Amino acid sequence: MADKRRNIISQRATNIPPSGIRRFFDLSAGVPGIISLGVGEPDYVTPWHISEAAISSIKKGYTMYTSNYGLLELRQELSRHLNHRYKIDYDPKSEIIVTSGASEALDIAMRAVIDPGDEVIVGDPTYVAYIPCIIMPGGVPVTVPTTMDNDFELKASEIEKRITPKTKAVLLGNPNNPTGAVIEKDELLKIAKLVEKNDLAVISDEIYDRLVYDGEHTCFASLPGMKARTITCGGFSKSYAMTGWRVGYVAAIPNVIEAMMKVHQYIMMCAPIMSQIGAIEALKNGEDSVVEMVDDYNRRRRVIVNGLNDIGLECHMPKGAFYAFPSIKSTGLTSDEFAEKLLLEDHVVVVPGSVFGECGDGHIRCCYAVALPDIEEALKRIDRFVKKHSG
Amino acid sequence: MKNILKALEDDARTTPEKIATMTDKSVDEVKTVIAQAEKDGTIVRYKTVVNWAKAGEQEVDAIIEVKVQPQKNVGFEAIAEEIYRFPEVRSAYLASGTYDLALLVAGKTMQDIAAFVTNKLSPIDGVQGTATHFLMKRYKEDGVIYDDRGGIHRLTVTS
Ligand SMILES: Cc1ncc(COP(=O)(O)O)c(C=O)c1O
């Protein structure tokens, strides 16, 4: 009888590819003495003054819904912060929504912009959620390859080749997960020209904006003419070590905000109030912690990249985020084989580059938001592993 | 300079070669900065933080508040020196408030510390009174939280 029952799973859900990351999570369960470079979050716990602000707010009874937009004080702090860092003006009352993480920000941005059949251009390799976020409202992802020769920088000329009459938007992840690439200002200006010329929207995921080590982060919306076309997505997870708090934001011009608000108010209502209060404290008094963590990631970045190159896994120096993305082609293994064997034989977890797209194949993602002694031990094990497999 | 010192503060055994990698400087440059910092006292000393209880060693620590009579011309300096020269005194500070010197004193037993207070500290000329607080549990020392984050684990793989 069961075969007569109709499949209750929608075509749309069926079309979303399963996450290649979950398989590695399951594989790693129960392996003893594991060192994980497979994570996508800081190893720091949230700075104490931030946690304290949230705890004390709960004690005082701040346990309700907030405005759908988020607490006004938080939007004011975000506005001040974005203005101070990137010289861009967002009105706290009409141009910012506080979201449950940059994850929700991306989702509501896509749903507000995409009609079924619209094409969205996105770099490859790319953050695992981007393509599902495009597919869910019926969009069609069009990927643009990036390669190690260019430090994985997304190039305007490559975007241009893929623009069609159906192209609606460009999705930028800058800095990039998994490659750590930062798109330089002059390249962003070229992308802005294309966007203008072809009348496109831009969804700019800048959640790693504070984790830029060489040079400076450029906020895409701050480029001439771009504020009206851009939805800026950001958050607190990475810069302030607040992944579990689920708080982020979107910023855009008022009519775009209103479209996103329609989605946000019905699916989320508001971000958790205690997390919003923590976020206010982060913006007001968290700068020293950010600088300290960034300095620390920077030291580890150099250790891991040098170590990987010494092992013979060619690795560019990533300019942002906290991932190294070396090539493992010299071993002759696919990235999936490499990651699986490394995990089972030498107990180091890395993420195969293939889960981030075709151009990620032949690479592995190694997160260096990991204690230095663990990075060093992981490098030793990877060295042993690579020697074993290139003999 | 700050980055080099920070690397050493985190782990005093970090080699100049590794620090050079971390800070993108040459090994010679790093060695020069460290040598200079050692010479001019910026680096005071290299120290290991030991959890003695875990090593099975007995140690008793006390914070002792000392009220002293400041002396003409030298103020607290002479008495402070007379006190902090005792090896039992691990740390000594001049403090504002209801007492003057704050000492951290270590001994093997409570009797050791009691004997130090009665036989050595109290009889010093100018010491007007002491209050001894034995430390019962060590939560954090030199910025390091003892037995921190027991049970907190990140997932091994996340996006
Ligand atoms: C590029 C990128 N965007 C968005 C997110 C989601 O962040 P949040 O925790 O704010 O939802 C992540 C987290 O891994 C990310 O790497």
Side-chain angles (χ1 to χ4, degrees):
Chain A
M1 289 306 280
D3 48 328
K4 288 231 169 119
R5 223 178 284 158
R6 68 173 171 181
N7 185 357
I8 63 164
I9 309 301
S10 73
Q11 204 51 51
R12 193 163 280 172
T14 307
N15 286 348
I16 298 170
S19 156
I21 283 191
R22 273 231 297 278
R23 188 169 84 82
F24 277 82
F25 180 70
D26 296 339
L27 269 180
S28 69
V31 180
I34 234 169
I35 294 183
S36 181
L37 310 179
V39 292
E41 62 183 329
D43 59 326
Y44 283 94
V45 292
T46 306
W48 182 247
H49 63 103
I50 297 172
S51 298
E52 226 285 315
I55 292 166
S56 103
S57 78
I58 295 174
K59 286 186 178 162
K60 284 187 205 140
Y62 286 91
T63 56
M64 291 85 169
Y65 294 133
T66 68
S67 147
N68 294 133
Y69 290 98
L71 293 171
L72 181 60
E73 188 183 359
L74 176 52
R75 285 178 279 141
Q76 285 164 338
E77 283 302 324
L78 279 166
S79 167
R80 192 187 53 78
H81 173 81
L82 290 168
N83 179 271
H84 168 72
R85 296 210 69 83
Y86 307 121
K87 303 272 169 296
I88 178 155
D89 284 316
Y90 280 117
D91 173 22
K93 292 221 165 83
S94 61
E95 298 187 319
I96 296 173
I97 301 174
V98 178
T99 57
S100 282
S103 300
E104 193 219 338
L106 284 165
D107 181 35
I108 65 174
M110 293 300 173
R111 293 207 231 188
V113 166
I114 294 173
D115 280 317
D118 284 348
E119 292 178 355
V120 178
I121 294 179
V122 59
D124 176 358
T126 184
Y127 175 50
V128 292
Y130 290 162
I131 289 185
C133 275
I134 295 169
I135 293 175
M136 275 189 278
V140 178
V142 175
T143 54
V144 181
T146 62
T147 59
M148 197 157 71
D149 314 333
N150 295 325
D151 292 352
F152 292 99
E153 192 182 31
L154 185 62
K155 294 288 178 196
S157 55
E158 292 297 314
I159 293 176
E160 186 165 24
K161 288 184 203 159
R162 287 162 181 86
I163 293 176
T164 74
K166 287 190 172 159
T167 307
K168 181 79 183 278
V170 179
L171 168 50
L172 300 174
N174 186 34
N176 182 281
N177 173 6
T179 64
V182 169
I183 311 174
E184 297 295 343
K185 186 167 183 183
D186 54 357
E187 201 61 37
L188 288 172
L189 283 166
K190 288 184 202 159
I191 296 174
K193 270 215 183 96
L194 280 182
V195 165
E196 192 75 62
K197 189 171 131 200
N198 295 280
D199 197 16
L200 305 178
V202 172
I203 292 99
S204 188
D205 178 3
E206 303 183 17
I207 187 154
Y208 292 100
D209 66 334
R210 303 304 313 281
L211 307 189
V212 171
Y213 310 101
D214 303 324
E216 274 187 6
H217 175 74
T218 303
C219 172
F220 191 79
S222 72
L223 301 178
M226 284 302 110
K227 182 181 162 186
R229 297 183 170 278
T230 304
I231 299 175
T232 303
C233 304
F236 297 82
S237 289
K238 318 291 174 172
S239 350
Y240 298 96
M242 292 175 70
T243 47
W245 296 67
R246 309 316 302 132
V247 60
Y249 61 90
V250 274
I253 55 172
N255 68 323
V256 179
I257 284 287
E258 281 319 304
M260 288 190 285
M261 175 52 80
K262 287 189 214 163
V263 184
H264 171 74
Q265 71 187 353
Y266 296 127
I267 62 159
M268 195 60 68
M269 299 249 296
C270 67
I273 186 170
M274 30 314 250
S275 303
Q276 294 192 47
I277 289 169
I280 293 171
E281 173 64 21
L283 289 173
K284 276 188 167 161
N285 298 310
E287 189 56 24
D288 289 353
S289 305
V290 173
V291 170
E292 191 185 322
M293 290 190 275
V294 170
D295 282 351
D296 196 17
Y297 297 143
N298 193 5
R299 291 190 288 269
R300 302 181 204 176
R301 173 180 74 125
R302 296 200 177 103
V303 169
I304 197 165
V305 171
N306 276 279
L308 289 165
N309 279 308
D310 286 347
I311 290 167
L313 300 181
E314 189 187 355
C315 187
H316 69 292
M317 185 61 81
K319 294 188 185 123
F322 38 48
Y323 309 103
F325 201 63
S327 165
I328 47 108
K329 289 181 184 135
S330 60
T331 63
L333 299 170
T334 66
S335 55
D336 238 45
E337 288 167 343
F338 186 100
E340 179 165 344
K341 283 183 200 288
L342 176 64
L343 166 55
L344 297 175
E345 293 172 19
D346 291 280
H347 305 176
V348 176
V349 185
V350 297
V351 181
S354 51
V355 313
F356 304 101
E358 259 169 57
C359 294
D361 203 8
H363 294 263
I364 51 170
R365 190 191 75 177
C366 307
C367 177
Y368 53 83
V370 170
L372 204 50
D374 285 347
I375 291 178
E376 284 165 347
E377 174 60 26
L379 285 169
K380 270 187 211 151
R381 294 185 193 180
I382 294 172
D383 186 32
R384 192 164 70 205
F385 177 84
V386 167
K387 287 208 171 88
K388 199 164 41 180
H389 288 275
S390 36
Chain B
M1 161 100 165
K2 188 173 157 212
N3 266 319
I4 296 174
L5 293 177
K6 191 80 187 75
L8 281 174
E9 195 188 26
D10 282 349
D11 180 356
R13 293 187 308 174
T14 315
T15 59
E17 287 72 19
K18 200 176 298 158
I19 295 175
T21 307
M22 287 173 161
T23 56
D24 203 20
K25 294 188 164 61
S26 75
V27 177
D28 282 341
E29 223 176 314
V30 171
K31 284 185 173 160
T32 311
V33 170
I34 295 175
Q36 181 57 35
E38 286 171 348
K39 208 169 124 200
D40 68 20
T42 305
I43 293 174
V44 180
R45 161 167 103 90
Y46 298 98
K47 165 173 173 173
T48 303
V49 180
V50 180
N51 185 342
W52 283 113
K54 218 164 198 165
E57 290 290 321
Q58 252 198 28
E59 190 189 279
V60 179
D61 295 304
I63 287 172
I64 304 181
E65 303 167 1
V66 190
K67 203 155 174 36
V68 302
Q69 174 74 50
Q71 292 162 321
K72 257 211 183 104
N73 303 325
V74 290
F76 293 102
E77 300 306 301
I79 290 196
E81 182 168 3
E82 211 177 327
I83 293 172
Y84 69 61
R85 292 261 170 217
F86 283 111
E88 293 91 333
V89 177
R90 289 285 166 85
S91 310
Y93 311 92
L94 180 62
S96 65
T98 52
Y99 58 92
D100 305 302
L101 298 176
L103 311 178
L104 185 72
V105 172
K108 283 218 175 310
T109 62
M110 281 166 95
Q111 285 76 9
D112 281 352
I113 291 180
F116 170 76
V117 175
T118 26
N119 302 335
K120 294 177 175 163
L121 184 59
S122 299
I124 292 173
D125 268 352
V127 169
Q128 296 178 315
T130 65
T132 302
H133 309 274
F134 287 103
L135 305 187
M136 303 198 289
K137 185 168 177 184
R138 197 171 306 253
Y139 297 107
K140 183 175 182 181
E141 192 166 280
D142 285 348
V144 181
I145 296 178
Y146 277 50
D147 297 323
D148 196 15
R149 297 181 65 172
I152 301 179
H153 295 294
R154 287 192 293 179
L155 300 175
T156 46
V157 194
T158 52
S159 53

